Structures are given as structure tokens and as C-alpha cells.
Amino acid sequence: QVQLVESGGGSVQAGGSLRLSCAAYGYLFGSYCMAWFRQAPGKEREGVATIDARGIRNYADSVKGRFTISQDNAKITLYLQMNGLKPEDTAMYYCAAVFGSDCSWGRDYRYWGQGTQVTVSP
């Protein structure tokens, strides 16, 4: 069993930065994927970034060059560094995890955090 707890959301002006954290309670071993998703009001949930056990990263086109996903060496905490924030980045951000090597957005991620709100003003 894995429990995920996000933190670090908040309100910033356009162009600002935030770093989200996701603490993983439980043990992620072997092959796994961790990801950040987001959902804005009235919109479908979308994938933002993924990282697998080998450290291979993938980003949505809308955040490439601005966001960076990373994980600490102990693989206990997942991060999302968000720079150059835009109003369209406003959403609830969720951390998710699943065992296996398929990190695609459409994958049925097994574990989810409660979400942390990010609001970017013009």
C-alpha cells in the first residue's frame, strides 16, 4: 500500500515559480511510475509529467521547458518545480503512482494524493 500526500501549492503571479512536493508513504520498489496530473474547473484531468524508477522523465507539451519533475535519492518524495507559471496552469495538482513500466497518461494509476491547488494570476 502506498499513500501520497501533496504540498506546496499556492497563489502566484504569472511568471512566478512554485515547487510541489509529494511524500510517498509505503515502499515503491522495482518498476514503477510516479506522475503529476492536474485538473482545472470544468476541464478533464490531464497529465503533466512522469518519472519512472530509472529516472526517465516525460512532460506534456504545454509544460516542457518550464516544469521539472524529480525524485529524491531515497525515492520518498516526488517534486514538481514549476517556473514561468501562466494563468492557464491554474488547477488542482495531483500526485499519482503505479507499479509497472508503462507511464503513459492513460494508464490506470493506482495511488493518488488528495491534491494541492495552484492559482496563477495574470
Side-chain angles (χ1 to χ4, degrees):
Q1 186 72 14
V2 177
Q3 183 179 5
L4 304 174
V5 180
E6 301 100 334
S7 61
S11 297
V12 296
Q13 289 189 324
S17 299
L18 284 173
R19 188 174 82 156
L20 306 183
S21 299
C22 173
Y25 299 93
Y27 186 49
L28 288 169
F29 59 92
S31 178
Y32 66 84
C33 301
M34 293 198 76
W36 288 99
F37 289 81
R38 66 186 182 186
Q39 187 167 20
K43 295 187 177 180
E44 292 188 354
R45 186 176 64 200
E46 62 176 349
V48 176
T50 64
I51 186 168
D52 69 12
R54 299 164 296 175
I56 295 175
R57 298 169 172 83
N58 186 45
Y59 297 94
D61 288 342
S62 59
V63 306
K64 280 181 181 177
R66 299 188 298 123
F67 290 11
T68 302
I69 188 171
S70 62
Q71 197 171 25
D72 67 352
N73 289 336
K75 298 182 179 179
I76 295 173
T77 306
L78 180 72
Y79 301 100
L80 185 68
Q81 178 66 43
M82 305 185 294
N83 299 327
L85 282 162
K86 304 175 181 180
E88 51 263 44
D89 294 318
T90 295
M92 184 72 79
Y93 283 71
Y94 297 91
C95 170
V98 66
F99 290 104
S101 59
D102 178 7
C103 297
S104 58
W105 306 127
R107 176 77 189 272
D108 185 14
Y109 279 77
R110 174 68 176 85
Y111 305 102
W112 291 85
Q114 82 287 353
T116 186
Q117 179 68 37
V118 172
T119 303
V120 185
S121 57

